[in-house]
Amino acid sequence: MKKYLLFHSLFLMLSVSILAQKPQKLSSNQIYEKVQKLNFLGTALYIAAHPDDENTRLIAYLANNVKARTGYLSLTRGDGGQNLIGSEIRELLGVIRTQELLAARGVDGGEQFFTRANDFGYSKHPKETLEIWDKEKVLSDVVWAIRTFQPDVIINRFNHRTPGTTHGHHTTSAMLSVEAFDLAADTTKFKDQLKYTKTWKPKRLFFNTSWWFYGSREKFESATKENPNFLSFDIGVYYPLKGLSNNELASIASSQHLCQGFGRLTTRGSQNEYLEFLKGEAPKDEKDVFAGINTTWNRIENGGEVGEILYEIEQNFDFVNPEKHLPKLMDAYSLIKNLEDEHWKTIKEKQIKEIIEACAGLYLEASANSSYGVLNEKVDVNFELLNRSTVTIQLTSLKSHIDKEEIFKGVQLSENEKLNFKETFVLETSKYSDPYWLKKPWELGVYTVDDQKLIGKPETPKETKIDFNLIINSVPITITKNIVRRYAERDKGEIYEPFEVLPKVTTKLKDKVLIFSDSIAKKVVVEVRAGANFINGEVSLQAPENWIVTPKKQFFDVQQKNDKQTIEFFVTPPQNESEGKLKAIATLEGKTYEQELIEINYNHIPKQSVLLNSEAKIVRLNIKKAGNNIGYIKGAGDAIPESLKQIGYNVVTINPTEINAKNLANFDAIVLGIRAYNVVKELNFKQKFLLDYVNKGGNLIVQYNTNRRVDVGAPYPLKLSRDRVTNEFAEVTVLDPDNSLLNFPNKITDADFKGWVQERGLYFPNVWAEQYTPVLSMNDEGETPKLGSLLIAKYGKGNYIYTGLSFFRELPAGVTGAYKLFANLLSVGKENIEVNANIKK
């Protein structure tokens, strides 16, 4: 926690808006750096596949040392990975990683972009990747990013020439970048994009190489020595204005990827970065990626006149009294407004507005009393304006992006005299504020985004904005601010939250997977949440054919915004095995609402409001189990405890500090969550109690851990590897058909390995002692069989089980075969006790 607070203080020094919507409060040093950036007209685009793939050292160097406009195009949002800080996976994990990337760019000074590609998990080859991704769509998105961002220089993180040597997504990102480099300038390709943008030809393309790609430093030095296609430069430069070196800045940026466990120490000192020239015009300087490219104001028509003003400000910047530059800045702003080059005009107008606002010490805020409103609701907005300069500033009017109303003010902003007032606006919008890429059903490989202008954006553009129309030094200027909610809590201090537009009512099914082991009805709980005061209507459940819901509808009445009402239904399954979706539907004022509101709230990112279909998977399944009490030691975050409760187990979460012989004795089995040995340090000291529990007759089930610098403390030698089976449809071969894990209390057949999602499993052991029995074999196409997905060993009177099978994905997805197999793992050794074939009510 102390390390986090230290980093947080550094972020504030850097004017990083880690807490949502927190306004920039720039120091003179930071204003000067923005002036330097304003005077550099060059653009670089870095391209890779996932959050955390980006080289923050190079992005920080280009953005802060070179002063280039620098972007990172991540083909995916990292939806297919794991989560070290919570239970969110898949699309919700993608929302978290999107915000972590934005936080990283807030530190290193870059901008963030995406394609519609959906990260479906690990891929071993670009062939597999492109079979799942829609190549034409993802390639078009890369072309769109190039055409709209207009980079002079493109830098690939990965090598396009070595398919099969790394993650298939990685190589694919480079392959698509190489292809898009030429297609972006072709008027016959992706012609629909040209309604909104124009073609663009980047000057040059690089591969950000290193010795790692060559296998050794010796091979790398041999390949690069005196090779004109390789550039190298020291990115360990020191920034006196920041009090930080570039690699310190980069370390802080990469530490934003907390859900991936990327928190790290900062580093300092000289460090070389290497680029291999691939395409375009070869650079004329081996240490400058922009060599030979005009990056001055003279690159655009009539830009020279702007440059004359701004270069003089940069050369003679007054760090003690930056407001003295306001008259000249307003002159430059007027010239920029009249530029014909729309691309650079838009970029530089935004940049110079930030500088003008900071030089004037101008504080502009629009804050609502709530963090959200509903369609057509009247919202009171509190305004605060403060001019902390001696320059004459007048507020002429306010214009709302919400209802398009303009409110005329004509108020002089006197020096350091705060102006406060309240206005009311109507939320006249048909769009909610949830992530745009999740608004429509999506495919395994790509998200569905119909609006071309949204593609690539990191998040949904805010409609809840206010234009502050001002006159500064006799020049009209408009500064736009998002409406926020600003409030304070005694134990946290001042808090900023984004203001969202959300539905009037949302519903939530308490359980996302409902397992029925017989034809007896089960109670289903629906939570109705009010988005406004005085909400009343009816709610019903829509079930598949042959499933019965009683009653057919229930009435709800919630008087206060944010309050919730719990409503109960009974669902009766059919006699035979069946599965489908159960949907909650609320009806209010003649309109139906079918969405659940999911709030994601972590300290290091802004609060996120996600709307997904309010539904659950329902399964009629014949499943048996032996034993009842399960102890669960959480690892990196998964929803298996909740899933086990669905099939009737009493699951108790065990605090790692409380692992001892007495606390373990009464459990029928102990389960360790995913990556427990990677993230739970106490296990180093508590392993003896777990093994003693097994020795005395208990069952211990250890789920997957990554293989780097970890000891799982197994009772017999066991070596983890990076072996994995990424094809969820890969054939599974039974190695030990008589093993209890496949026969008691449920008979496991080939059918139980159908319908799995994303993968079979990962980080399988590849070396183990003779005491272990491998139970299953599986492999991806073209690979040798992997035998370590499920191992069992007798230890004393009990059983030790190690499995890399991806139960953490399968159980929350309601995969019936995975439930049956996991029940067998929990039941091993209990053949002589009564088998419970019913789920407890």
Side-chain angles (χ1 to χ4, degrees), residues 407-421:
I407 301 170
F408 293 93
K409 288 292 182 180
V411 179
Q412 197 78 16
L413 301 182
S414 302
E415 181 184 354
N416 213 32
E417 291 186 13
K418 186 168 62 173
L419 176 64
N420 291 99
F421 55 88

Side-chain angles (χ1 to χ4, degrees), residues 736 738-748 773 775 790-792 799-801 820-829 831:
D736 186 14
D738 296 327
N739 196 288
S740 173
L741 295 182
L742 302 178
N743 294 281
F744 177 81
N746 304 286
K747 178 67 176 177
I748 303 300
T773 299
V775 180
L790 180 57
L791 303 175
I792 182 170
N799 296 279
Y800 177 90
I801 298 171
K820 289 166 69 176
L821 180 55
F822 208 92
N824 284 10
L825 269 58
L826 296 170
S827 303
V828 67
E831 287 86 349

Side-chain angles (χ1 to χ4, degrees), residues 718-746:
L718 183 73
K719 182 178 179 181
L720 304 185
S721 73
R722 294 183 64 84
D723 287 351
R724 62 199 302 161
V725 177
T726 61
N727 181 2
E728 63 267 40
F729 309 111
E731 183 179 354
V732 177
T733 301
V734 173
L735 299 175
D736 186 14
D738 296 327
N739 196 288
S740 173
L741 295 182
L742 302 178
N743 294 281
F744 177 81
N746 304 286

Side-chain angles (χ1 to χ4, degrees), residues 2 33 354 365 489 641 837:
K2 290 180 179 178
E33 289 179 311
E354 291 178 348
E365 180 182 277
E489 291 187 1

